[in-house]
Amino acid sequence: MNIFVLMKRTFDTEEKIVIQNGKVSEEGAEFIINPYDEYAIEEAIQVRDQHGGEVTVVTIGNEDAEKELRTALAMGADKAVLINIEDDVENRDQYTTAKVLAEYLKDKEADLILAGNVAIDGGSGQVGPRVAELLGIPYVTTITKLEIDGTNVKAVRDVEGDEEVIETSLPLLVTAQQGLNEPRYPSLPGIMKAKKKPLEELELDDLDLEEDDVEAKTKTIEIFLPPKKEAGKILQGDIADQVKELVSLLHTEAKVI
Amino acid sequence: MEKALQIAQGGSFLIEDVSPTQVFTPEDFTDEQKMIAKTTEEFVVNEVLPQLEHLENHEFDRSVALLKQAGELGLLGADVPEEYGGLSLDKISSALIAEKMARAGGFSISHGAHVGIGSLPIVLFGTEEQKQKYLPALATGEKIAAYALTEPGSGSDALGAKTTAKLNAEGTHYILNGEKQWITNAGFADVFVVYAKVDGEHFSAFIVERDFPGVSTGAEEKKMGIKSSSTRTLILQDALVPKENLLGEIGKGHIIAFNILNIGRYKLGVGAVGGAKRALEVTIQYANQRQQFKTPISKFTLTQEKLATMASKLYAAESSVYRTVGLFEARMGQLTDEQAKDGKETAKAIAEYAIECSLNKVFATEMLDYIVDEGVQIHGGYGFMQEYEIERMYRDSRINRIFEGTNEINRLLVPGMYLRKAMKGELPLLQKAQQLQEELMMLMPEEVGDGVLEQEKYLVRHAKKIALMVAGLAAQKFGPKLEKEQEVLVNIADIVSNVYAMESALLRTEKAIAQSGVEKNKQKVLYTQIFCQEAFNEIEAHAKETIVAVEHGDMLRMMLSALRKLTRHTPINIIAKKREAAQALIEAERYVV
């Protein structure tokens, strides 16, 4: 089976976000594989071990992302591809990412493409479905279970805590939700082997794309941090008075009504 | 150019100028080494810590299962060659595993005893047959190893062992009799490396399996700390050990024992660094969260003073141990393929740095003890309660100053090793001491530059001279009787230890600045300034105490005046520096550089 995983390098979940010159500062920050993409990688490895084939992990980023690709290889993926568009494309959004990935994937005859359900930084959850649309294949998002039998697929989706069972067929794109599996950590032999596995680097040119083809469709107007959390207020007195006060505070202080 | 490629000789830092490019620092870890560290950390956090309470209650089935799990991840095979089922990793990776494992408390002792002192004697000194027979199972954790040297009557005096070995009449087996005490992993180990005297005379090592007739273990010891490791007596009653299980040569057991001690010592140093990082982390978190007088206690400058002192010592220890491991690695890198396969060559590469191994052991374990002690103090009464991790760390830490050679023994060893190197002509110590004497006669006050770390470079340079002066004076005065002057020896060792730690911190910071500039390395600069100033003050005190004990009359006045010249400097404002250094720690809630 020809399996691809779409991976994103994100801030470590424990990083504090600092905004500098209207941008999120990456200075000194630790980076990780987007945790939902880790589920995708783990699932891909398990599917391969069960059905045979090959797992290729693809990411868009600069050479710093090689570290996360090597981690994926150390977990057990077979190949890695880094599509470096940093020098070519200035304004990027989910459209850009999806377009580039789809262009890369279109002649790969992928049977199964896995991605995280959402990236913990941007949090749009769009790239997976967009790629599937561009490739013209079905997709199932936020899956917590995946069963493959020949080309028939049964997937369980997490829908706000409930479950939805979907039957479909390969080729297919799925996005992984927490609970799909327990991602392994790279074993030391895995880390040693990862050194020798192929890691290909591509640029926009290699995909026959121009900057205009992938220019962002959205514009970021402003980036700001959420307001600092103030200490809570406990209202006192009669219930009736409390309600009155609450309503007035919602009007005057919180300004939500 | 030639010179830059030369690898420093053991102990030579005391008399030579070392450049930052010559030292290995934690900033030089490769991505791969970081990945190995991360896997180890995740294993500890996700697999070991949830079970730690059970382990502390001596449920050792869990220890065995966890060790097997560690084996599957490759965490037992770092130092085992690939052809025997291991990974043949570099020593830096192996050290990182030990550092990250430390957070697991007593379990890290089980792990360390297995991969270190348990397995390494076979890796380094085993015959081809012994390696093939034992190493693959040790690398996977299918079998667990232990190391049995100490006896009720011989601790520091390891060679005074009473356990005997006698070849049987048929000439097929050695018959071992005796008791080995405080054997880590004894509750479940399958393989023991045991020292015994053949015919009551020739100190030798043997590989003893638990299932051999006549081998048994005593009751589990009730210990102050590291309770999640098993510690028992190994009892040998006419134990039958096949002749081919003799490890190394008859009468050469001490070579194995001393080499293994070197490794055990630096590994303890690395482990102490790992433990200290965690202790500092929980302490800062607590200090941020605990409020008194409506203020988080981390806002009080006295708490900040403590945190900054802890972190500076930790920085010095971390810089020292990885510098040392880097030296092993550099030396091993020079071995030919054939030599690299020969364990004895590896042991030799490490033994070259026996002085550094002892210094690291002493400095890092005392740094850890200092940090857990202050950690408890910052926790106040809560630190005395078992619900808080720092309470266990405080108890776990204490043994480090005792095992693998007490810190007293390790201190006493340092001047002795230097003397031997001088006698053998390996280090030109005497020449340097003489040179210094002449130099002292006409020593002119030196202007300290005002660039970053200029003062610290000056302090390190002068600390080396003080060390040489004091050691030279003692050697001259006492000659061979110096051996009996233990207080003087220990003072010398402490001076040398501080020199190594100061210089390691300084070189690391200089190297980092060369790579990424001062701005990105402010915290490192602060640690270096704080540590160097405080270490230098200690050096001055030790030197003074020693000179006064050794000299009198005019000579004493002359030496003290020389010391005054060597220690002349304007101290930095430590209080301000510590307040500054504490800010980054409080902000990050962990040890940051």
Side-chain angles (χ1 to χ4, degrees):
Chain A
M1 198 179 285
N2 202 6
I3 308 165
F4 287 83
V5 182
L6 314 181
M7 185 203 82
K8 187 175 188 183
R9 170 180 195 259
T10 58
F11 266 53
D12 194 329
T13 44
E14 283 170 29
E15 285 297 331
K16 289 197 177 87
I17 308 292
V18 179
I19 293 185
Q20 240 172 12
N21 306 326
K23 276 187 177 162
V24 176
S25 164
E26 297 191 351
E27 178 96 16
E30 292 284 327
F31 287 84
I32 54 168
I33 295 176
N34 176 39
Y36 293 98
D37 300 352
E38 259 187 358
Y39 300 123
I41 295 166
E42 176 63 37
E43 197 65 16
I45 294 167
Q46 289 186 16
V47 170
R48 178 204 61 197
D49 289 350
Q50 211 185 338
H51 301 275
E54 203 176 62
V55 175
T56 307
V57 179
V58 190
T59 197
I60 296 180
N62 58 22
E63 59 264 20
D64 291 337
E66 267 183 38
K67 192 172 149 245
E68 283 68 33
L69 286 174
R70 287 278 171 218
T71 306
L73 291 173
M75 286 172 75
D78 302 288
K79 290 177 177 173
V81 177
L82 169 64
I83 306 176
N84 193 340
I85 60 169
E86 192 165 58
D87 297 336
D88 296 327
V89 190
E90 209 174 314
N91 296 315
R92 278 170 272 170
D93 66 1
Q94 293 80 9
Y95 168 77
T96 314
T97 308
K99 179 80 183 163
V100 172
L101 286 171
E103 206 57 32
Y104 166 77
L105 287 162
K106 71 177 184 197
D107 56 358
K108 296 292 183 292
E109 292 175 8
D111 297 299
L112 180 65
I113 302 170
L114 299 102
N117 134 55
V118 69
I120 57 161
D121 50 7
S124 78
Q126 289 190 27
V127 171
R130 275 173 180 270
V131 168
E133 281 293 333
L134 289 167
L135 294 174
I137 60 171
Y139 66 88
V140 185
T141 57
T142 56
I143 65 161
T144 54
K145 202 173 174 190
L146 182 68
E147 282 171 18
I148 300 172
D149 184 10
T151 56
N152 296 326
V153 178
K154 201 166 105 181
V156 178
R157 284 190 74 214
D158 169 47
V159 274
E160 308 281 322
D162 278 333
E163 284 188 346
E164 187 176 38
V165 181
I166 291 181
E167 285 180 5
T168 175
S169 63
L170 299 178
L172 172 73
L173 184 145
V174 294
T175 70
Q177 169 70 311
Q178 189 173 11
L180 178 61
N181 52 44
E182 203 47 64
R184 69 195 68 191
Y185 10 92
S187 72
L188 272 52
I191 293 169
M192 304 310 285
K193 273 186 222 145
K195 263 201 297 198
K196 296 174 194 129
K197 290 183 180 173
L199 193 158
E200 190 185 3
E201 191 174 334
L202 300 175
E203 287 180 15
L204 220 48
D205 255 5
D206 302 311
L207 298 174
D208 282 330
L209 283 171
E210 300 293 328
E211 193 187 339
D212 293 346
D213 300 335
V214 296
E215 190 74 14
K217 298 281 186 199
T218 57
K219 228 191 241 167
T220 301
I221 308 296
E222 196 192 347
I223 293 178
F224 54 91
L225 291 172
K228 225 178 159 189
K229 212 175 160 193
E230 305 281 336
K233 198 179 268 185
I234 297 174
L235 303 178
Q236 278 171 357
D238 275 352
I239 293 290
D241 293 341
Q242 283 189 41
V243 170
K244 236 185 240 167
E245 199 183 342
L246 180 62
V247 170
S248 97
L249 284 173
L250 287 172
H251 272 293
T252 57
E253 211 164 279
K255 291 183 180 140
V256 291
I257 308 183
Chain B
M1 281 311 280
E2 283 268 299
K3 259 213 157 137
L5 291 172
Q6 246 175 31
I7 297 163
Q9 273 182 294
S12 65
F13 68 90
L14 196 56
I15 49 170
E16 278 169 16
D17 292 329
V18 185
S19 101
T21 51
Q22 282 173 291
V23 297
F24 181 85
T25 73
E27 283 66 51
D28 301 324
F29 292 144
T30 63
D31 281 348
E32 214 165 280
Q33 287 161 346
K34 286 183 204 161
M35 228 192 275
I36 288 172
K38 198 170 173 202
T39 288
T40 313
E41 200 169 10
E42 285 178 347
F43 169 73
V44 169
V45 171
N46 299 333
E47 314 298 331
V48 184
L49 295 184
Q51 301 194 49
L52 200 61
E53 219 176 301
H54 295 286
L55 299 179
E56 291 277 298
N57 286 328
H58 294 176
E59 293 172 35
F60 293 130
D61 298 352
R62 291 170 185 263
S63 309
V64 175
L66 280 169
L67 283 169
K68 280 212 177 72
Q69 230 179 313
E72 282 161 24
L73 283 171
L75 294 171
L76 304 182
D79 292 312
V80 178
E82 265 180 306
E83 55 264 49
Y84 308 109
L87 292 167
S88 304
L89 290 185
D90 59 283
K91 294 297 152 206
I92 291 152
S93 300
S94 166
L96 270 168
I97 294 172
E99 185 196 314
K100 296 300 171 190
M101 206 52 95
R103 186 169 166 188
F107 179 78
S108 74
I109 304 293
S110 293
H111 173 266
H114 171 69
V115 298
I117 55 180
S119 299
L120 285 179
I122 303 174
V123 171
L124 300 177
F125 297 97
T127 61
E128 182 60 31
E129 291 72 29
Q130 288 168 343
K131 290 186 201 175
Q132 279 182 10
K133 182 165 182 203
Y134 291 105
L135 294 182
L138 294 176
T140 56
E142 190 190 316
K143 289 210 158 97
I144 306 299
Y147 184 77
L149 174 62
T150 301
E151 296 186 5
S154 68
S156 296
D157 179 18
L159 302 187
K162 291 210 168 56
T163 300
T164 59
K166 215 175 165 57
L167 200 61
N168 63 1
E170 298 80 9
T172 56
H173 289 75
Y174 284 98
I175 300 167
L176 267 62
N177 277 292
E179 271 190 21
K180 292 289 172 179
Q181 187 172 256
W182 299 331
I183 307 309
T184 301
N185 288 353
F188 47 79
D190 307 283
V191 180
F192 297 83
V193 171
V194 177
Y195 292 90
K197 283 184 172 165
V198 174
D199 301 328
E201 260 180 75
H202 311 290
F203 193 74
S204 313
F206 297 87
I207 305 170
V208 177
E209 293 182 31
R210 186 183 206 92
D211 298 336
F212 287 167
V215 177
S216 63
T217 58
E220 201 52 51
E221 300 286 352
K222 298 187 174 87
K223 306 186 296 266
M224 175 197 281
I226 57 167
K227 287 173 191 274
S228 48
S229 68
S230 165
T231 310
R232 297 182 184 196
T233 298
L234 175 70
I235 302 159
L236 303 157
Q237 261 176 329
D238 292 329
L240 266 183
V241 180
K243 201 173 73 176
E244 58 272 20
N245 276 28
L246 172 74
L247 188 58
E249 292 170 45
I250 293 182
K252 295 280 170 67
H254 61 285
I255 295 177
I256 302 180
F258 292 151
N259 276 294
I260 295 304
L261 276 171
N262 283 332
I263 297 169
R265 284 169 186 158
Y266 92 78
K267 281 265 173 99
L268 267 194
V270 175
V273 166
K277 285 185 185 172
R278 178 64 184 162
L280 188 54
E281 181 176 358
V282 299
T283 300
I284 302 172
Q285 284 169 359
Y286 181 85
N288 275 347
Q289 172 214 327
R290 172 71 170 169
Q291 298 215 355
Q292 289 290 278
F293 312 104
K294 292 185 180 151
T295 311
I297 60 170
S298 63
K299 287 248 195 288
F300 295 116
T301 55
L302 194 51
T303 311
Q304 293 173 4
E305 189 276 336
K306 285 180 190 291
L307 296 177
T309 311
M310 291 154 89
S312 306
K313 282 180 195 283
L314 174 48
Y315 182 73
E318 184 185 38
S319 308
S320 301
V321 297
Y322 283 105
R323 174 186 183 185
T324 309
V325 181
L327 287 168
F328 303 155
E329 197 52 38
R331 197 152 274 252
M332 281 178 211
Q334 285 204 327
L335 299 178
T336 61
D337 285 353
E338 204 162 311
Q339 284 173 322
K341 281 217 169 102
D342 182 359
K344 288 181 216 69
E345 291 293 330
T346 306
K348 234 166 84 186
I350 293 177
E352 172 67 27
Y353 302 104
I355 291 176
E356 284 84 350
C357 288
S358 282
L359 293 177
N360 280 324
K361 196 268 176 180
V362 171
F363 186 80
T365 59
E366 290 179 8
M367 172 278 299
L368 175 62
D369 238 12
Y370 177 85
I371 288 185
V372 294
D373 185 74
E374 286 287 65
V376 168
Q377 196 66 20
I378 290 174
H379 277 73
Y382 290 100
F384 204 63
M385 301 297 142
Q386 297 200 340
E387 289 93 318
Y388 285 78
E389 195 177 341
I390 195 73
E391 184 269 350
R392 174 179 58 74
M393 287 191 228
Y394 179 83
R395 288 184 290 101
D396 284 351
S397 168
R398 192 61 185 82
I399 188 62
N400 288 297
R401 282 164 53 201
I402 298 170
F403 60 18
E404 301 294 332
T406 63
N407 284 13
E408 288 67 29
I409 287 287
N410 271 294
R411 282 187 161 90
L412 291 172
L413 284 172
V414 169
M417 288 191 277
Y418 264 116
L419 270 181
R420 229 168 320 163
K421 278 187 185 272
M423 295 307 173
K424 280 204 240 164
E426 289 172 9
L427 284 181
L429 274 173
L430 300 174
Q431 295 87 312
K432 289 277 179 183
Q434 262 161 15
Q435 251 176 42
L436 178 68
Q437 253 180 5
E438 287 157 29
E439 198 189 320
L440 286 177
M441 297 295 191
M442 43 196 153
L443 188 70
M444 297 296 279
E446 198 182 320
E447 278 296 316
V448 183
D450 53 6
V452 183
L453 298 176
E454 281 304 317
Q455 163 114 332
E456 288 65 36
K457 285 184 209 164
Y458 170 92
L459 292 181
V460 167
R461 217 162 43 235
H462 281 220
K464 288 184 182 185
K465 287 181 182 164
I466 295 170
L468 209 53
M469 180 180 88
V470 174
L473 177 70
Q476 212 174 27
K477 198 78 189 172
F478 296 111
K481 285 192 197 134
L482 180 57
E483 214 182 316
K484 304 268 181 225
E485 304 293 325
Q486 294 192 328
E487 304 93 321
V488 169
L489 290 172
V490 163
N491 274 352
I492 295 170
D494 278 328
I495 295 173
V496 175
S497 173
N498 267 326
V499 168
Y500 192 63
M502 282 166 79
E503 187 181 55
S504 301
L506 173 67
L507 293 172
R508 175 181 177 186
T509 307
E510 283 188 81
K511 192 175 188 183
I513 290 175
Q515 276 163 359
S516 55
V518 179
E519 196 55 30
K520 284 196 175 156
N521 293 293
K522 276 190 191 152
Q523 193 71 4
K524 295 190 187 78
V525 172
L526 285 169
Y527 292 150
T528 307
Q529 290 171 327
I530 293 166
F531 182 77
C532 283
Q533 180 68 66
E534 297 202 319
F536 194 81
N537 294 348
E538 281 178 22
I539 288 175
E540 184 175 359
H542 281 130
K544 201 180 282 176
E545 184 182 288
T546 311
I547 293 169
V548 172
V550 174
E551 280 295 358
H552 57 272
D554 281 348
M555 233 358 230
L556 171 62
R557 273 189 292 280
M558 241 180 70
M559 293 308 292
L560 286 176
S561 135
L563 179 65
R564 265 196 302 277
K565 280 188 199 167
L566 284 174
T567 54
R568 181 174 299 152
H569 70 288
T570 311
I572 56 165
N573 181 353
I574 285 277
I575 291 177
K577 294 280 178 196
K578 284 186 180 174
R579 283 187 189 182
E580 203 182 332
Q583 296 316 314
L585 296 166
I586 291 164
E587 167 90 6
E589 294 207 308
R590 63 188 162 85
Y591 168 68
V592 281
V593 294

